[in-house]
Amino acid sequence: MPVTAGTIGIFKISACVSDIPPISVADKKRRNERLCIKMDSVCPFVKVSRPDDSSGKKTGEKNPDAKSEHDSSGAPKCPFGYDSQTFKLGPFSCMICQALLFDCCKCVPCAHVFCKICISKFKDCPLCGADIEKAEEDHNLQSVVDRFIEGHARIKRSQSGTDREDSEHDKKTMIYEDTSLERGSFLMQQAMRALRAGNLESAMSRLSICAEDVREQLQRMGNTPELCSQLGAVLGMLGDCCRSTGDTVSAILYFKESADFLRQVPGDDLEIAHTLSVSLNKIGDMKYYEGDLDAARSYYSQALDVRQDAIKKPDSTIPSHVIDVAISIAKVADINRNLGNEDAAVTGFQEGIKILDSLALSNHEPGLQQRKLFVLEFLRTQLGKN
């Protein structure tokens, strides 16, 4: 998968996070393929626990005594069957990437419609097998899809058992909302489908709409922790998309803005701390590639401070976060070595090894065990170079 994101929620994708200490540009590029750490990159609009947090509720667990806000006001119902909690394919979906059509094209002569970037990989229609003589842009259908996205989950209708008895002149009030969690989840769902299929332009389009919606909400409600965490996560994903396309300037801007919003969230949220530290590390990585080692160390150190503060809190010794701390220590140590500060580098490598040696993992956590062993191997190898 070409794009990563360290976010929060229920729509899980397999993401490779380049969160490892650099040695040299050539070594790091080779190592990135080996050091891909599997993370759960998920929707920031639904809060759940990380996979190794046994204290959290299970995904989708509801409070039976609590009534949904939408139960009383009337949840928006999509006439085409799309909703934020299911992975249904509808009439506006591309059958290749399974996301909503983006820059859609119609195959000639069979007339089946797909995203332009998706169908460009085929010579025969994936649906009917007919030879594709050419692919024509379908602006009319794309306009319909765009209008559908613009209106999805924006309208709530009050529900009443006497609705049908009301006269035409007694129409129920329709409440228009600029954004909602259901709308945010819907857009993130479509973006993640596009990401999995490698359709970066489609993903960035959906993420940009999502970010714009949250910004409008921030203007009305202020910088609430929930909205700041949502916008920070979405901006981080946009940064990942830009980095994948080689636009490092835009990527750094998105990651910086993401970090600014995530810093406004109370520090007792471990998942937010993880997302913030990943954004800071990604900025450090790009500064490292640019040759700005001092700036890289600054961002790596900020990420380390965030992670260390997070695990100091009571009941916060989650194994994945402890490993995150060891990784950040290794990144700072390695950049110190590149800057000629060997004593600080050796001290850092030793500290990282000590932390991981003291971390006990159960047999039910093979992924974390593999990650721990890999980071340990890296630390010991670097310490052996002293």
Side-chain angles (χ1 to χ4, degrees):
M1 166 143 182
V3 177
T4 69
T7 51
I8 322 161
I10 60 170
F11 302 122
K12 298 185 178 181
I13 58 176
S14 178
C16 292
V17 178
S18 177
D19 194 11
I20 51 173
I23 300 297
S24 67
V25 173
D27 289 343
K28 185 165 184 177
K29 287 182 178 178
R30 287 193 296 268
R31 186 178 298 111
N32 278 346
E33 299 179 357
R34 297 177 51 242
L35 298 188
C36 285
I37 300 170
K38 294 293 182 180
M39 303 292 292
D40 284 324
S41 211
V42 282
C43 175
F45 292 86
V46 183
K47 296 279 290 181
V48 297
S49 305
R50 295 186 75 186
D52 55 340
D53 183 3
S54 58
S55 63
K57 291 184 178 182
K58 296 180 180 179
T59 301
E61 183 176 345
K62 297 181 179 179
N63 182 355
D65 297 326
K67 291 185 178 180
S68 168
E69 173 187 351
H70 297 305
D71 289 343
S72 58
S73 60
K77 299 297 183 182
C78 174
F80 294 104
Y82 293 96
D83 79 47
S84 60
Q85 304 301 327
T86 60
F87 288 86
K88 177 177 179 178
L89 296 179
F92 297 147
S93 299
C94 170
M95 295 297 108
I96 299 175
C97 68
Q98 299 186 352
L100 287 172
L101 290 164
F102 178 80
D103 198 9
C104 63
C105 287
K106 179 169 61 177
C107 295
V108 177
C110 68
H112 287 127
V113 182
F114 307 92
C115 297
K116 182 177 181 179
I117 192 172
C118 294
I119 197 57
S120 65
K121 306 171 185 177
F122 294 85
K123 295 183 179 180
D124 300 327
C125 176
L127 288 180
C128 66
D131 291 339
I132 300 176
E133 297 178 3
K134 62 179 179 177
E136 297 178 341
E137 294 184 357
D138 193 333
H139 298 291
N140 291 333
L141 178 57
Q142 188 60 57
S143 177
V144 173
V145 174
D146 293 341
R147 291 199 300 272
F148 166 72
I149 294 174
E150 178 62 24
H152 183 81
R154 286 186 183 272
I155 301 174
K156 287 186 178 182
R157 294 179 174 84
S158 59
Q159 291 181 338
S160 171
T162 61
D163 279 352
R164 293 184 178 180
E165 300 175 3
D166 293 334
S167 65
E168 293 183 0
H169 298 289
D170 296 331
K171 294 181 179 179
K172 292 294 181 180
T173 302
M174 298 174 65
I175 306 172
Y176 290 82
E177 294 191 343
D178 289 327
T179 188
S180 69
L181 293 187
E182 287 197 11
R183 176 173 168 79
S185 297
F186 167 75
L187 290 169
M188 290 295 293
Q189 178 196 85
Q190 299 302 319
M192 289 181 181
R193 290 188 186 184
L195 287 178
R196 282 195 294 267
N199 194 341
L200 294 180
E201 292 185 2
S202 175
M204 291 183 68
S205 174
R206 311 315 179 208
L207 290 170
S208 297
I209 296 172
C210 192
E212 181 181 350
D213 281 353
V214 181
R215 290 184 196 278
E216 292 177 1
Q217 190 86 329
L218 283 168
Q219 290 179 355
R220 293 199 316 274
M221 300 179 61
N223 291 357
T224 66
E226 183 179 27
L227 291 174
C228 286
S229 65
Q230 290 171 4
L231 184 55
V234 174
L235 292 171
M237 294 183 71
L238 280 167
D240 282 318
C241 291
C242 291
R243 188 171 64 161
S244 295
T245 61
D247 186 359
T248 57
V249 174
S250 296
I252 289 176
L253 291 176
Y254 276 126
F255 287 134
K256 285 183 176 179
E257 190 177 7
S258 169
D260 289 342
F261 278 103
L262 292 174
R263 282 194 174 102
Q264 299 182 46
V265 180
D268 56 350
D269 191 319
L270 293 179
E271 195 61 46
I272 294 298
H274 169 76
T275 306
L276 171 58
S277 65
V278 168
S279 289
L280 293 170
N281 272 339
K282 288 175 180 177
I283 300 174
D285 289 343
M286 286 182 284
K287 291 295 183 182
Y288 177 83
Y289 288 137
E290 293 174 356
D292 191 347
L293 298 184
D294 289 323
R297 180 171 60 180
S298 174
Y299 283 105
Y300 288 156
S301 297
Q302 291 178 52
L304 174 59
D305 291 341
V306 170
R307 291 176 172 181
Q308 287 179 326
D309 290 343
I311 65 171
K312 288 179 182 178
K313 297 177 174 59
D315 302 323
S316 61
T317 54
I318 299 174
S320 63
H321 290 285
V322 176
I323 297 175
D324 285 345
V325 170
I327 291 174
S328 281
I329 290 174
K331 292 172 83 72
V332 174
D334 191 79
I335 207 75
N336 281 329
R337 170 171 285 172
N338 280 271
L339 288 169
N341 193 346
E342 186 64 21
D343 291 341
V346 170
T347 300
F349 292 134
Q350 291 173 340
E351 182 183 359
I353 292 172
K354 182 178 178 181
I355 289 175
L356 292 180
D357 281 339
S358 63
L359 177 62
L361 297 174
S362 70
N363 295 330
H364 302 293
E365 300 172 311
L368 287 177
Q369 185 68 39
Q370 182 180 7
R371 187 180 177 207
K372 170 188 171 181
L373 293 175
F374 183 79
V375 178
L376 266 175
E377 179 186 358
F378 171 81
L379 289 167
R380 288 169 177 158
T381 299
Q382 297 308 309
L383 192 60
K385 292 182 179 181
N386 182 23

